[in-house]
Amino acid sequence: MNFGEMRRFRRDPLTFLEDFARRNPEGVFRLPWGAWCVSDADLALTVLRDPIFNGGLSTFFGDLLPTRESQIALGRSVRNAMKARASEYRDNMFRAAPELPEVSQWPATGPRLVYQCTKDLLLHPDSPPRLRRLMAEALNGGLMLRSPRIRQRARAEMLRPRLSAAVTEHVAARRRESTRNATPCDLLDAVISACPDDVSDPTVARLYMLLFRSIVGSIGYAVAWSLLLACLHSTPGSHWPWPADWIVREAARHRPLV
């Protein structure tokens, strides 16, 4: 990609992609940086559902799991565990949202609100207090949410090995308790129960942290972008311009998340 294309893409990504799509009416084209784009929705769904497309390892997990089957098993375990307690999370959100200050930092307040409402689903209250403190510190200290300040990023990097060691230690303790096949009490249990026995404790810890960040970040930033989109298209004191689910879907279309 040359400098001019990069500048046009950064200024307006959607217009940039739509211009490429107009010049490639067949619906499939290669972008300047080498990736392929499928602009036809039906064709994209066909590709996404094709067994060949889904046959290899997912890049989301990197090299942390040995097979595609183990990746799928972990994804299902986590989704089922979180879905089973969705009503609890929703009730927590209804209680927590009115308690937010009138002015807060955007978009970081979104993930922080989601963490506050899901922290007991992500890590059980009976987990070691020190680990729970480190998790909260990691979120607020910039390890989960990248800070624009160099000093805060440096503090976050100092926290990283302490958090990694604490999560790994707790993973080892839970695996010794042999909770496999039991109903997961939190996200960590869901990860442990789905991981093959030969996956090491540090790798299980890394998978847990990856999914923790993805859940808190994805939901949190979806909340933040949805609120921004709604506020940009409504006036103070008026009703929102669309139903809430439309707003979330449109925000996700503009800012796709993990």
Side-chain angles (χ1 to χ4, degrees), residues 197-216:
D197 290 329
D198 56 354
V199 175
S200 67
D201 294 340
T203 299
V204 174
R206 288 173 62 192
L207 285 165
Y208 169 71
M209 295 305 300
L210 171 67
L211 289 159
F212 182 101
R213 287 194 301 269
S214 298
I215 291 169
V216 173

Side-chain angles (χ1 to χ4, degrees), residues 55-159:
L57 289 171
S58 168
T59 56
F60 174 77
F61 293 106
D63 59 355
L64 296 177
L65 287 168
T67 64
R68 176 64 173 164
E69 289 71 23
S70 59
Q71 292 181 338
I72 293 172
L74 178 57
R76 286 175 177 167
S77 177
V78 169
R79 282 196 302 272
N80 291 339
M82 298 301 292
K83 192 181 297 183
R85 299 178 64 181
S87 59
E88 179 182 337
Y89 158 67
R90 184 172 57 247
D91 292 343
N92 291 344
M93 181 69 82
F94 279 133
R95 286 192 292 268
E99 297 176 1
L100 287 173
E102 288 188 10
V103 178
S104 59
Q105 185 181 17
W106 185 95
T109 298
R112 287 177 181 142
L113 175 64
V114 170
Y115 171 72
Q116 186 64 31
C117 297
T118 60
K119 60 183 179 181
D120 291 345
L121 288 71
L122 300 169
L123 191 63
H124 195 272
D126 290 340
S127 302
R130 175 176 175 272
L131 176 57
R132 287 174 62 85
R133 285 196 301 271
L134 284 172
M135 296 294 289
E137 187 179 343
L139 182 79
N140 296 318
L143 190 55
M144 303 287 184
L145 312 172
R146 184 173 174 82
S147 171
R149 297 185 177 88
I150 295 178
R151 183 176 297 178
Q152 191 171 16
R153 291 207 300 269
R155 286 200 300 269
E157 289 307 312
M158 292 174 63
L159 172 63

